Amino acid sequence: MATRGSRSEKVKRIFQQFDLNSDGGLNREEMSALVVAVNPRVKFSEEQINAILDEVFRTYGEFIDGDKGLTYEGLLRTYDDGAGDVDRDFDALELELNLDGISEAAEASSSIADERVIEAQKKQRTAAWAVSPNHGIVFDDTWKIVDDLEILIKRLKAKQAKDGKLKGDNVDSYSDAGWSRELGPSSEISDKRIIWEEAGHDYASFVKELGALRTRADGARSREEAFDGHMAIGRVLYEHQLFKEALVSFKRACELQPMDVRPHFRTGNCLYVLGRYREAKEEFLLALEAAEAGGNQWTYLLPQIYVNLGIALEGEGMVLSACEYYREAAILCPTHYRALKLLGSALFGVGEYRAAVKALEEAIYLKPDYADAHCDLASALHAMGEDEKAIEVFQKAIDLKPGHVDALYNLGGLYMDLGRFQRASEMYSRVLVLWPNHWRAQLNMAVSLLGAGETEEAKKTLKKALKMTNRVELHDAIYHLKQLQKKKVKPNGTANGDGPFITVELSKFKTLGEKTTQRQELRNAFQIRAFQRITRLNRCDVDLLKKEMRENDVPVSYSGGGVPEKSIRKPNLEEILRKFLNFLKPEIFQGAVKGINERILSVLDESGSGRVDLGMFFAVLAPLCSGSPEKRKRVAFDALLWRPVNEGGSQIKRVDAVGYIKLLRAMYLPSQGISEILEVHGETDSSMVSFNEFQVMFDDRDWGFGILSTLVKLEAEDRNRHGSHVCSVCRYPIIGSRFKEMKSSFSLCSQCYGEGKVPSSSRQLQEYKFKEYASESDAMKDKCLCFPVHSNEEK
């Protein structure tokens, strides 16, 4: 941890370096020189410099001293608000910090009794936040409490270190969320996370003595002094990472002054660190409410409140909502590089890649050595297909932070996508050095080794991954390797010099029996099924949509064309989705929102207004939710009926029904295009359709969404295995339906059948006739029925 007071001392040295006329302020010329000097690798235009200076002098107007310019306190405040990095700027200027005075004062405490010297010594050996004019310690008795608390913590640390109970966790390898930890001047939480041992006599004694200090604070002469005492106790505990105890103090401070921003903010920080994201969000909202009620007093703190509120929402998986608050922070403080980085990362998380790139590039412009921003920028570039540029940016992130796990892991994935398997395995190997129990890196390393032709090494690596986790996909991967070895199929996709499969044109695939699914239809259904798995909509009961429509009173608004609709903003829509998918963990829910945003919301919000027609959203969601096909269609019809254009009757306009079905096909069927939707505009058919007529339109396999029946069949067969049968093309165990070619007697999984693949080793035919078996028992019944027929023919 940095020396106490060193942070403010560094800011003072920077201030003195550029206060050329020593008038106690930095005018525009001096501030311009500072901005250029601390960003040596950036070439600013005159317009950019003026824009930065205008923003600084406007935002920190209360710290401008006439013609003298920005005061030392104002410069300190800019760093506190995240507009710059003190340590980075100090190093860039090659300044030196003289701490002799601090150490001498620390020694003086044991030998000099003069009250003024002791007072100065206390302030120097206490964290920088304590001497802040706005957020520090106000009352003399609070200083005494803080001193006693420091002694208690030092004693506890010594005892736990001696017993080997105090543990450290190096979090340097992981992405920094850009967390705005403090309101006033303070050193950041150390990269070394301290894990205190809370069970045992030592910790119990510490808590008991801490209780006595809290009682002293409560016994203060005034409510303000008690508040000061509890806030100071909380700050000290927080800096020593005693978060549970800090939370108690901050909550007490909230009780004493409910309309003060600071205790709510810091209570939120503690709750977030403790993983209690929902409670943290509530505290940040209270802080926001207090700040807005307090007029201009807390205006400069709003960006940090917005940032931490966004981070807490991300902790719950609410990324669309988080984006809103990151934007607010960036608007209020355009130099807040953390807010821009977080905005970019969140936009990437919901699939809005171009907007993500723009925000992340802006964050890097403000802070060129921001490794995490480089990492996420590279990921966004890769998602957009700019792979070579992405590799460069990933490498930059690794150069800035060699132990950056996310950058190494994602770069490995990029190399895998490009087929550069050897380089991919190197990246995963580096991840495993930093994080030995990273089973996904272990699994991906096995796949990359397989791609590089190192089958034996891949097998060993897979077994290591299996020791880390017992997931079923690892068992399947090992079985797959064994099948490859049995068939002597080389991992580069050749078998005895030939490709393992050939792709047959659609017309050559024939079906036997009414129950056998057409190849193209199955392929389309598989893609919809994959979307269901990403979003988990198949686990959302379709009745929940009906309940939401019944209970949600959405005001009617008017679109650009004057059409009334019940539209809501995307963040509000995300809250509804959270209710539907409340069983999902935050990170899984985030992936679901990304899928829905990319495939559904991007179409419904084609204009980019940020608002979505809620009735139409429910209607396009209904076919993918759980429930009988009839119920899904009924809820879709009810959702269209719920829209203002149809509300109050029992029928919907035919043009609306046609437009809805075209939307469904454009979103879920890859052969359809968005352009088909445009054909609906301008239609004047004013006839109405009942639910029965709607069903007929819906079930039409050529122009409707008749694929729903195939989708429902796939849902029912998800975990259905076929004994020892493996796919003759991919060699994986067959799950779901088995498609047997009746002449050559080879079997395909649904995936390979849908893609039109047949094994190259089989006899080449003019046409292939397939029969579908939903389960092995169906195959056995078929075999038994066929057997006596053959016997009679032989007789």
Side-chain angles (χ1 to χ4, degrees):
M1 187 176 285
T3 305
R4 292 177 177 179
S6 62
R7 188 171 184 279
S8 56
E9 288 296 321
K10 285 183 177 180
V11 177
K12 187 173 290 185
R13 287 285 293 111
I14 294 171
F15 183 87
Q16 291 170 348
Q17 176 86 358
F18 291 91
D19 184 16
L20 301 178
N21 55 13
S22 301
D23 64 350
L26 299 179
N27 57 34
R28 289 183 70 90
E29 187 178 337
E30 291 167 337
M31 273 298 295
S32 173
L34 191 159
V35 171
V36 171
V38 299
N39 294 283
R41 288 179 287 182
V42 181
K43 293 183 178 179
F44 291 102
S45 67
E46 189 174 343
E47 286 183 2
Q48 289 171 329
I49 287 289
N50 285 330
I52 292 170
L53 295 183
D54 288 344
E55 182 60 32
V56 170
F57 279 74
R58 180 183 66 79
T59 305
Y60 300 97
E62 61 184 300
F63 296 100
I64 304 299
D65 185 6
D67 295 334
K68 295 179 182 179
L70 188 71
T71 62
Y72 159 70
E73 289 78 14
L75 183 62
L76 188 61
R77 179 61 54 79
T78 67
Y79 283 112
D80 294 339
D81 290 351
D85 187 310
V86 177
D87 296 327
R88 188 202 68 175
D89 292 354
F90 194 81
D91 292 340
L93 296 171
E94 298 181 350
L95 299 175
E96 292 184 2
L97 190 62
N98 182 8
L99 296 174
D100 292 342
I102 293 175
S103 58
E104 286 172 9
E107 292 172 7
S109 65
S110 59
S111 58
I112 303 175
D114 183 86
E115 187 176 340
R116 286 172 299 174
V117 176
I118 291 175
E119 191 67 22
Q121 178 266 336
K122 281 180 182 177
K123 291 186 179 182
Q124 286 176 334
R125 76 168 188 271
T126 303
W129 61 264
V131 293
S132 165
N134 295 305
H135 304 288
I137 293 171
V138 178
F139 295 91
D140 290 338
D141 284 348
T142 304
W143 285 102
K144 297 172 186 176
I145 291 173
V146 166
D147 278 345
D148 290 346
L149 179 55
E150 289 282 2
I151 293 168
L152 291 181
I153 294 172
K154 186 176 180 181
R155 189 189 303 160
L156 176 65
K157 187 177 289 187
K159 286 179 179 178
Q160 292 208 349
K162 183 180 178 182
D163 297 338
K165 295 177 181 176
L166 195 64
K167 297 175 183 177
D169 178 21
N170 186 3
V171 297
D172 183 59
S173 301
Y174 312 103
S175 289
D176 173 25
W179 179 249
S180 297
R181 295 182 177 92
E182 302 298 338
L183 292 176
S186 175
S187 58
E188 295 285 358
I189 288 181
S190 168
D191 282 338
K192 292 283 187 181
R193 175 71 185 270
I194 299 170
I195 302 173
W196 296 89
E197 176 57 58
E198 297 180 7
H201 177 72
D202 294 337
Y203 194 84
S205 298
F206 166 74
V207 172
K208 185 177 179 181
E209 292 173 298
L210 175 59
L213 292 181
R214 289 195 177 112
T215 303
R216 278 170 56 186
D218 279 328
R221 287 164 292 185
S222 65
R223 194 180 189 85
E224 290 73 20
E225 188 170 343
F227 173 83
D228 190 49
H230 283 290
M231 284 298 292
I233 291 171
R235 294 294 293 273
V236 173
L237 291 167
Y238 187 90
E239 292 214 344
H240 287 284
Q241 301 187 38
L242 289 154
F243 300 117
K244 288 182 181 178
E245 304 306 327
L247 180 60
V248 174
S249 295
F250 290 140
K251 281 190 170 181
R252 177 62 182 137
C254 289
E255 293 171 4
L256 290 165
Q257 293 194 13
M259 291 310 295
D260 195 301
V261 173
R262 296 166 294 176
H264 289 298
F265 187 91
R266 296 197 173 93
T267 298
N269 289 352
C270 284
L271 288 165
Y272 179 85
V273 174
L274 294 170
R276 295 159 62 177
Y277 306 130
R278 185 177 296 277
E279 294 171 78
K281 177 188 72 176
E282 296 303 324
E283 287 296 333
F284 290 135
L285 287 171
L286 288 172
L288 189 59
E289 184 183 330
E292 290 171 347
N296 295 328
Q297 180 186 1
W298 305 109
T299 302
Y300 73 97
L301 298 177
L302 284 172
Q304 291 194 64
I305 299 171
Y306 283 134
V307 164
N308 283 17
L309 179 52
I311 293 173
L313 284 163
E314 279 205 68
E316 290 187 281
M318 306 287 284
V319 186
L320 285 172
S321 302
C323 286
E324 294 291 295
Y325 290 109
Y326 296 146
R327 281 195 187 93
E328 290 290 338
I331 290 168
L332 287 173
C333 183
T335 55
H336 202 313
Y337 56 83
R338 284 190 177 122
L340 288 162
K341 183 268 176 191
L342 287 163
L343 175 59
S345 302
L347 288 167
F348 170 73
V350 294
E352 297 183 14
Y353 303 124
R354 293 192 181 281
V357 166
K358 186 177 179 181
L360 290 163
E361 285 179 339
E362 187 67 25
I364 291 169
Y365 173 77
L366 293 168
K367 184 174 171 62
D369 61 349
Y370 205 164
D372 293 334
H374 281 90
C375 176
D376 287 355
L377 173 60
S379 297
L381 289 168
H382 175 42
M384 291 169 61
E386 298 181 29
D387 293 333
E388 292 305 318
K389 187 176 179 182
I391 291 172
E392 290 178 22
V393 181
F394 270 133
Q395 197 56 59
K396 178 66 175 176
I398 295 165
D399 291 343
L400 290 167
K401 188 189 280 191
H404 202 300
V405 167
D406 288 344
L408 291 165
Y409 182 82
N410 292 342
L411 181 54
L414 196 163
Y415 281 136
M416 285 261 284
D417 290 346
L418 295 176
R420 294 161 66 174
F421 299 112
Q422 196 61 50
R423 289 289 289 145
S425 66
E426 290 171 15
M427 294 300 111
Y428 292 127
S429 178
R430 289 176 66 179
V431 170
L432 290 165
V433 169
L434 295 161
W435 191 348
N437 292 322
H438 197 310
W439 73 267
R440 292 188 186 278
Q442 193 79 46
L443 175 60
N444 287 345
M445 185 175 176
V447 175
S448 58
L449 287 168
L450 184 63
E454 300 179 30
T455 310
E456 285 302 316
E457 281 300 313
K459 194 173 177 182
K460 291 177 187 175
T461 309
L462 261 181
K463 287 181 178 177
K464 289 180 183 176
L466 192 60
K467 289 179 181 178
M468 296 178 190
T469 180
N470 203 31
R471 297 173 74 94
V472 68
E473 55 258 48
L474 291 176
H475 290 280
D476 284 347
I478 291 172
Y479 187 77
H480 178 232
L481 271 178
K482 289 178 180 176
Q483 290 296 321
L484 288 178
Q485 288 178 321
K486 276 184 186 177
K487 292 288 181 181
K488 296 183 180 177
V489 178
K490 295 182 181 178
N492 62 0
T494 63
N496 302 323
D498 299 319
F501 66 86
I502 57 173
T503 303
V504 177
E505 62 184 72
L506 184 62
S507 61
K508 289 188 176 184
F509 264 44
K510 307 294 181 182
T511 59
L512 290 174
E514 295 179 0
K515 293 183 179 179
T516 303
T517 311
Q518 295 286 342
R519 169 183 147 187
Q520 186 60 41
E521 183 174 307
L522 184 65
R523 185 174 187 178
N524 290 344
F526 247 105
Q527 295 195 13
I528 300 172
R529 186 76 190 101
F531 178 68
Q532 268 186 323
R533 286 198 181 98
I534 290 169
T535 58
R536 281 26 178 218
L537 287 172
N538 58 301
R539 293 174 60 192
C540 170
D541 193 326
V542 73
D543 283 335
L544 290 174
L545 274 65
K546 197 166 184 176
K547 182 183 177 186
E548 188 66 26
M549 285 185 283
R550 190 167 58 246
E551 297 177 357
N552 197 336
D553 186 19
V554 181
V556 175
S557 58
Y558 290 85
S559 63
V563 179
E565 60 181 33
K566 294 177 179 178
S567 68
I568 63 171
R569 294 168 61 253
K570 285 185 182 181
N572 301 117
L573 186 66
E574 186 180 45
E575 291 175 13
I576 294 173
L577 281 172
R578 196 69 183 111
K579 284 195 284 185
F580 293 162
L581 302 171
N582 58 19
F583 50 86
L584 293 182
K585 292 181 179 177
E587 62 273 16
I588 306 298
F589 177 72
Q590 182 178 332
V593 171
K594 178 183 179 183
I596 290 169
N597 188 52
E598 287 180 317
R599 182 167 290 200
I600 298 176
L601 302 186
S602 61
V603 178
L604 293 180
D605 183 30
E606 194 180 2
S607 64
S609 67
R611 300 187 71 86
V612 174
D613 180 337
L614 190 57
M616 188 60 78
F617 176 74
F618 287 150
V620 296
L621 222 59
L624 271 63
C625 294
S626 66
S628 67
E630 290 70 27
K631 188 180 282 187
R632 299 186 204 187
K633 286 179 270 188
R634 179 76 242 188
V635 172
F637 183 81
D638 288 344
L640 295 173
L641 205 58
W642 184 68
R643 301 171 74 219
V645 289
N646 298 309
E647 202 168 16
S650 60
Q651 295 182 322
I652 62 173
K653 291 181 181 177
R654 181 175 295 276
V655 67
D656 288 339
V658 172
Y660 163 67
I661 288 171
K662 287 187 175 183
L663 265 177
L664 275 184
R665 293 174 67 84
M667 288 173 182
Y668 299 134
L669 297 179
S671 60
Q672 309 304 311
I674 302 298
S675 58
E676 189 180 270
I677 304 171
L678 302 178
E679 298 172 20
V680 179
H681 299 321
E683 290 192 28
T684 57
D685 188 345
S686 59
S687 63
M688 308 294 283
V689 296
S690 65
F691 175 60
N692 289 334
E693 292 171 310
F694 172 79
Q695 274 189 298
V696 173
M697 295 172 68
F698 190 100
D699 291 336
D700 189 297
R701 288 193 173 272
D702 295 323
W703 304 107
F705 201 67
I707 198 172
L708 179 61
S709 59
T710 305
L711 178 64
V712 171
K713 187 163 68 171
L714 284 180
E715 292 170 2
E717 298 174 352
D718 258 356
R719 298 188 177 277
N720 185 30
R721 292 175 176 250
H722 293 260
S724 59
H725 285 285
V726 297
C727 176
S728 298
V729 169
C730 68
R731 309 307 301 172
Y732 270 99
I734 294 178
I735 302 173
S737 287
R738 174 163 73 96
F739 291 84
K740 183 178 179 182
E741 207 291 314
M742 304 310 287
K743 289 184 181 178
S744 299
S745 294
F746 62 81
S747 294
L748 299 180
C749 65
S750 301
Q751 189 76 42
C752 291
Y753 172 78
E755 292 172 0
K757 295 175 180 176
V758 298
S760 57
S761 58
S762 68
R763 186 160 51 97
Q764 304 303 303
L765 303 172
Q766 285 300 314
E767 63 178 23
Y768 296 83
K769 294 184 177 180
F770 287 95
K771 191 162 188 179
E772 179 179 355
Y773 295 111
S775 66
E776 205 49 34
S777 61
D778 288 348
M780 290 300 293
K781 286 176 188 175
D782 196 41
K783 195 172 183 180
C784 293
L785 288 171
C786 291
F787 182 74
V789 174
H790 290 304
S791 299
N792 290 332
E793 285 177 356
E794 287 172 6
K795 288 178 181 178

